[in-house]
Amino acid sequence: MAAALPLSKLAGLLVKTLAKPLAKRIKHEAARTASGQNIIISLGQLTHGVTSRMTVWSMGYKVKSVAPLDETKALAKGAEFLGESFIFLVAGGIVVYEYDKSAQSTKVKEKKRHDEMMATDAALEAKLHSLDLRLKALEKVVKGNRSLLLLLGGEKYVDPNEQEVEDAQSKYDDISRRKWWPFGK
């Protein structure tokens, strides 16, 4: 998995690099037709107006009007804006793709960790159940052999008080009901 990460980064870099000549080609093709030129000139005038207003506002003055550019300058400015916008969109798309890929990888890791925790939880529950069964079997043997144990010098077996058993069971139930794992069972 570690080898795939640099390959995706390199592929993203390759796409960004290829976007630059493609942006030049888009600018050139758009400027070849009359309708394309009109759109690019309008775009150039719009960007000139916005940047001029922002520059004047940043100096603290009010803007009454902005003189339009001549068509060749507006065409150049609009084409430049179109190319830069294309490159920005490609780079933004790559960033979103890499973020999504990283988020999916994180989800897979979390799912794996959750599954491991659930498997451990199930194994511990099974072990506890097994120990409970073994303890009950031992109690049964001890109860069946009370007289023999007394002859051997052992202490008399006393059944646990039912209240103590219920208290221990309720304490165990309270612990097992706690939501110590935030993702649920």
Side-chain angles (χ1 to χ4, degrees), residues 35-157:
S35 62
Q37 283 181 356
N38 290 337
I39 292 171
I40 292 176
I41 289 171
S42 299
L43 190 59
Q45 294 291 0
L46 179 69
T47 56
H48 169 68
V50 169
T51 56
S52 297
R53 288 178 195 279
M54 288 177 64
T55 303
V56 172
W57 282 338
S58 69
M59 288 188 240
Y61 298 108
K62 291 187 178 184
V63 179
K64 292 187 179 186
S65 66
V66 175
L69 291 173
D70 62 28
E71 285 191 2
T72 56
K73 287 184 179 178
L75 184 66
K77 196 163 192 144
E80 188 65 31
F81 181 77
L82 182 66
E84 292 297 322
S85 297
F86 178 75
I87 292 170
F88 179 76
L89 286 174
V90 169
I94 290 171
V95 168
V96 168
Y97 170 75
E98 288 176 356
Y99 175 79
D100 187 48
K101 190 174 177 181
S102 173
Q104 286 177 350
S105 174
T106 302
K107 283 181 184 178
V108 167
K109 286 178 185 175
E110 280 296 318
K111 173 95 171 96
K112 183 179 177 184
R113 199 181 98 186
H114 176 261
D115 291 345
E116 287 174 356
M117 291 291 288
M118 294 307 293
T120 302
D121 186 38
L124 290 173
E125 285 285 334
K127 196 170 197 174
L128 182 63
H129 182 69
S130 170
L131 289 172
D132 191 37
L133 291 175
R134 290 175 68 187
L135 182 62
K136 287 179 182 176
L138 283 173
E139 284 179 349
K140 190 175 182 182
V141 168
V142 168
K143 285 179 184 177
N145 294 320
R146 284 182 192 180
S147 57
L148 243 158
L149 289 173
L150 286 173
L151 287 174
L152 292 174
E155 293 184 24
K156 182 178 179 186
Y157 175 76

Side-chain angles (χ1 to χ4, degrees), residues 20 31 137 147 168 173:
K20 290 176 184 175
S147 57
D173 287 343

